């Protein structure tokens, strides 16, 4: 499975961005998909995840109410709608596909639960 993330950019605080992640290759597998981010000098952290069906979603506490994860009808595209952006949201955002179809928060918030990773897209929020 190859993942291609796009949609990053420079935005002012309070603004919005929509990230997209397109999966190709062996997409017949049913995968939960997630977004992680890594800021300079920090470890990669969980942002949001969505089950294969799209019914179950989880968010990291700091983005709840501001970010929304969703899947396209073909299941092979995942979106992250980001609103009320803050400077602390500045990071490289990575999409990832899990070997799991669904699961609990503890499972799907761990980077090790994901087998495939995109190349990352830079999000910069200016104050």
């Amino acid at each position: 499975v190859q993942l291609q993330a796009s949609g990053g950019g420079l935005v002012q605080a309070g603004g919005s961005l929509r990230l997209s992640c397109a999966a190709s290759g062996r997409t017949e597998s049913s995968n939960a998909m997630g977004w992680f981010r890594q800021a300079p000098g920090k470890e990669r952290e969980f942002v949001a995840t969505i089950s294969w069906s799209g019914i179950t979603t989880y968010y990291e506490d700091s983005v709840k109410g501001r970010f929304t994860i969703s899947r396209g009808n073909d299941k092979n595209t995942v979106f992250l709608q980001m609103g009320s952006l803050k400077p602390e949201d500045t990071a490289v955002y990575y999409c990832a596909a899990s070997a799991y179809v669904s699961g609990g928060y503890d499972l799907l918030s761990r980077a090790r639960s994901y087998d495939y990773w995109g190349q990352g897209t830079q999000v910069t929020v200016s104050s």
Side-chain angles (χ1 to χ4, degrees), residues 39-58:
K42 295 187 177 181
E43 293 186 354
R44 190 171 298 190
E45 67 172 1
F46 169 73
V47 176
T49 186
I50 187 166
S51 64
W52 168 251
S53 67
I55 293 175
T56 303
T57 58
Y58 299 113

Side-chain angles (χ1 to χ4, degrees), residues 46 49 58-61 64 103-110:
F46 169 73
T49 186
Y58 299 113
Y59 298 90
E60 192 271 329
D61 285 347
K64 284 180 181 177
Y105 177 88
D106 287 345
L107 178 68
L108 294 181
S109 63
R110 296 189 306 218

Side-chain angles (χ1 to χ4, degrees), residues 90-104:
T90 295
V92 177
Y93 283 70
Y94 298 90
C95 64
S98 175
Y100 301 97
V101 174
S102 185

